[in-house]
Amino acid sequence: QVTLVESGGGSVQAGGSLRLSCAAPTYAMYCMGWFRRAPGKERERVATIDNDGTTHYADSVKGRFTISKDSAKNTLYLEMNSLKPEDTAMYYCAAGRTATAVYSDYGTRWACDYGYWGQGTQVTVSS
């Protein structure tokens, strides 16, 4: 049984910072990521990290958010700086043991099979 547990959410003013943590068996996962869902909106992929350390970010958070993991502590992090009201959402940690190859004219990329999800932690940014 794999359990992901997020923490670190809260309420901050615009321009502030928060660091989210996700307790998870990082050593056993091929890929991990942070997602968010704001009220009335679809789930959005915020940031991901592969087992080789490769990271990807949504355009809306590039330069402000940083994803990282500490395998010794079995913890995934999301450092969030310069927060904006539009960052308000429930943030979820996700992980996958495998990835699926996706072929296109641009080559092959590996799409994480996110099979494990946390319960979420709320982030509220006020203007």
Side-chain angles (χ1 to χ4, degrees):
Q1 184 75 13
V2 175
T3 302
L4 308 183
V5 181
E6 302 98 334
S7 62
S11 297
V12 296
Q13 290 191 328
S17 299
L18 283 173
R19 187 177 77 160
L20 305 184
S21 299
C22 173
T26 59
Y27 63 92
M29 298 299 163
Y30 176 78
C31 40
M32 303 187 73
W34 289 95
F35 293 73
R36 66 185 180 188
R37 175 172 281 163
K41 295 186 177 181
E42 293 190 355
R43 187 176 65 197
E44 175 187 20
R45 179 166 51 197
V46 176
T48 63
I49 186 168
D50 294 339
N51 63 348
D52 63 356
T54 301
T55 58
H56 298 277
Y57 297 91
D59 288 342
S60 58
V61 307
K62 279 181 181 176
R64 300 188 298 122
F65 291 11
T66 302
I67 187 171
S68 63
K69 62 180 178 179
D70 186 331
S71 296
K73 296 182 178 180
N74 281 323
T75 304
L76 178 74
Y77 300 101
L78 184 68
E79 187 75 37
M80 305 185 296
N81 298 313
S82 302
L83 283 163
K84 304 175 180 180
E86 50 263 43
D87 294 319
T88 295
M90 184 72 79
Y91 283 70
Y92 300 90
C93 170
R97 295 183 187 272
T98 60
T100 300
V102 178
Y103 303 99
S104 71
D105 292 341
Y106 303 100
T108 303
R109 68 175 182 88
W110 294 92
C112 183
D113 301 320
Y114 290 104
Y116 306 100
W117 293 83
Q119 293 299 306
T121 184
Q122 178 68 38
V123 171
T124 302
V125 184
S126 57
S127 58

